[in-house]
């Protein structure tokens, strides 16, 4: 008698979870059920299909060919469900509900938090879930709905707008340069023998990081840190001089600009979303509001605003 080969949707998900967890215990924990429940369901499934879905090894459960095919189908189903969810979200007719926004710590602390507060006040039916991540999240899988990024190379899979250009220059602690009022009072070449702070190796490909590496002797780079937020804190503490975004450094009364704005350091400030979400009322309302608010602060972001003006006063 041939085996009954009927499968439920949840069967595919179960096989995928067991494979990801490398065994039954981890799968049971993820599903919130007993180990014995997962063991029984897998056994019943394999008996009904007449094939083994996993090879049992001491190191864990390894997919058979049939198991690999089921897992691939489960991933495809998951992607289809996610795509459907995105389309439903894109059909929302009113700016209400939760919006997940990803950005980095520097933009959040020095630029975005007051703007987010004004958005929530302007759209009381909206809620923001802010995810800090220096690496790009996968908007296709709804890790986030909107990304606010400093980049000159936004992913081709996303759509959006460039709302400003982030200017950079070299800064030092004002107490260490009592006679310097600005770039006109110092020669950049004279600064290379001083102590410098620099971005960490994980950001070594950025143009501003390459500049320090190429112009400053390694022994003079006394401090490296893997976030721009940490870089600005180090310069303000007097650890050394270094390149900083103008919208951060110009707002500090403790820092002085030691060089002209270097156009090679600049990066675009982008508002990005997935194409399926661009017509969503939530996304559209948020991106329009952010673009308008950032436009009010464009001079500061581009390094041409009044020094030490508070970002939160804009708007």
């Amino acid at each position: 008698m041939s085996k009954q080969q009927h499968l439920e949707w949840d069967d595919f998900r179960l096989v995928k979870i067991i494979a990801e967890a490398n065994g039954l215990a981890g799968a049971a924990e993820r599903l919130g059920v007993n180990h014995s429940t997962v063991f029984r369901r897998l056994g019943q499934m394999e008996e009904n299909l007449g094939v083994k879905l996993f090879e049992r090894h001491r190191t864990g459960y390894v997919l058979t060919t049939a198991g690999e095919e089921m897992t691939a189908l489960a991933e495809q189903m998951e992607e289809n469900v996610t795509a459907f969810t995105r389309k439903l979200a894109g059909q929302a007719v009113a700016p209400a509900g939760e919006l997940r926004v990803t950005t980095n710590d520097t933009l959040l602390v020095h630029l975005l938090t007051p703007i987010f507060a004004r958005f929530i006040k302007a759209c009381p039916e909206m809620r923001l879930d802010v995810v800090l991540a220096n690496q790009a999240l996968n908007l296709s899988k709804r890790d986030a709905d909107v990304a606010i990024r400093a980049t000159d190379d936004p992913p081709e899979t996303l759509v959006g707008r460039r709302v400003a250009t982030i200017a950079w220059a070299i800064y030092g602690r004002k107490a260490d340069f009592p006679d310097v009022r600005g770039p006109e009072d110092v020669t950049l070449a004279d600064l290379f023998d001083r102590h410098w702070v620099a971005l960490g190796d994980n950001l070594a490909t950025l143009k501003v990081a390459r500049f320090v590496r190429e112009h400053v002797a390694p022994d003079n780079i006394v401090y490296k840190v893997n976030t721009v937020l940490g870089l600005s804190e180090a310069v303000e503490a007097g650890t050394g001089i270094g390149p900083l975004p103008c919208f951060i450094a110009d707002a500090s009364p403790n820092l002085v600009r030691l060089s002209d704005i270097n156009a090679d350091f600049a990066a675009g400030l982008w508002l990005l979303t997935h194409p399926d979400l661009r017509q969503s009322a939530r996304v559209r309302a948020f991106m329009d509001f952010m673009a308008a608010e950032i436009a009010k602060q464009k001079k500061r972001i581009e390094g041409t605003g009044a020094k030490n003006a508070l970002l939160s006063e804009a708007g």
Side-chain angles (χ1 to χ4, degrees):
M1 180 181 296
S2 62
K3 297 289 184 181
Q4 179 184 2
Q5 296 187 349
H6 177 71
L7 288 171
E8 303 289 344
W9 293 110
D10 281 347
D11 293 336
F12 289 87
R13 178 169 174 261
L14 176 64
V15 172
K16 179 176 180 289
I17 290 174
I18 294 172
E20 291 173 345
N22 198 36
L24 304 186
E29 183 176 351
R30 281 185 57 180
L31 292 167
V33 299
N34 294 327
H35 178 282
S36 58
T37 300
V38 179
F39 178 81
R40 185 172 61 254
R41 283 182 59 189
L42 178 60
Q44 291 171 346
M45 198 188 315
E46 291 182 326
E47 183 178 354
N48 287 340
L49 293 173
V51 296
K52 289 290 184 184
L53 300 172
F54 292 92
E55 297 288 349
R56 280 72 166 172
H57 298 294
R58 284 194 291 180
T59 56
Y61 275 47
V62 178
L63 287 166
T64 63
T65 300
E68 288 176 348
E69 292 183 5
M70 279 193 72
T71 301
L73 283 171
E75 291 174 349
Q76 184 178 332
M77 292 175 191
E78 188 176 82
E79 290 174 1
N80 289 340
V81 169
T82 301
F84 177 70
T85 304
R86 282 202 312 267
K87 289 178 179 177
L88 287 183
Q91 294 169 7
V93 294
E98 184 174 276
L99 191 77
R100 177 170 285 192
V101 181
T102 180
T103 189
N104 62 42
D105 50 4
T106 305
L107 291 173
L108 181 74
V109 170
H110 287 280
L111 179 65
L112 298 177
T113 296
I115 301 178
F116 288 165
R118 292 195 288 274
F119 173 75
I120 291 170
K121 186 176 181 180
C123 299
E125 299 301 316
M126 292 283 297
R127 304 182 307 277
L128 295 182
D129 179 3
V130 180
V131 181
L132 290 183
N134 286 309
Q135 73 279 13
L137 296 186
N138 191 337
L139 269 63
S140 296
K141 290 190 175 182
R142 297 297 302 279
D143 289 340
D145 300 306
V146 175
I148 305 176
R149 284 279 176 253
T151 180
D152 279 326
D153 188 26
E156 293 182 358
T157 55
L158 303 181
V159 296
R161 65 188 91 170
R162 180 173 178 147
V163 290
T165 298
I166 300 174
W168 290 63
I170 307 300
Y171 290 84
R173 187 171 62 168
K174 185 175 288 186
D176 298 330
F177 297 89
D179 299 324
V180 174
R181 292 171 298 174
E184 65 279 2
D185 295 329
V186 64
T187 301
L188 185 58
D190 295 336
L191 299 174
F192 293 137
D193 289 333
R194 287 181 169 267
H195 283 174
W196 281 67
V197 299
L199 292 171
D201 293 339
N202 67 313
L203 299 172
T205 58
L206 295 182
K207 289 176 285 189
V208 67
R210 288 203 305 269
F211 174 87
V212 176
R213 196 166 59 247
E214 292 169 0
H215 290 83
V216 181
D219 288 347
N220 288 336
I221 302 175
V222 297
Y223 186 87
K224 291 195 293 187
V225 63
N226 67 348
T227 72
V228 175
L229 186 63
L231 193 70
S232 65
E233 293 289 313
V235 175
E236 191 149 1
T239 308
I241 65 175
L244 294 175
C246 296
F247 77 90
I248 297 176
D250 286 346
S252 172
N254 301 317
L255 298 178
V256 61
R257 193 186 292 185
L258 301 175
S259 77
D260 291 324
I261 292 171
N262 190 325
D264 289 340
F265 298 168
L269 181 59
W270 286 82
L271 302 175
L272 300 164
T273 189
H274 191 277
D276 288 349
L277 294 177
R278 61 183 163 184
Q279 296 305 320
S280 160
R282 294 178 298 116
V283 171
R284 194 167 61 246
F286 178 78
M287 292 183 70
D288 288 347
F289 185 93
M290 295 300 297
E293 289 292 309
I294 291 172
K296 297 174 185 177
Q297 304 188 33
K298 195 171 182 180
K299 287 186 176 180
R300 292 192 185 96
I301 297 170
E302 299 187 348
T304 59
K307 182 169 172 58
N308 301 333
L310 295 178
L311 296 177
S312 60
E313 290 179 353

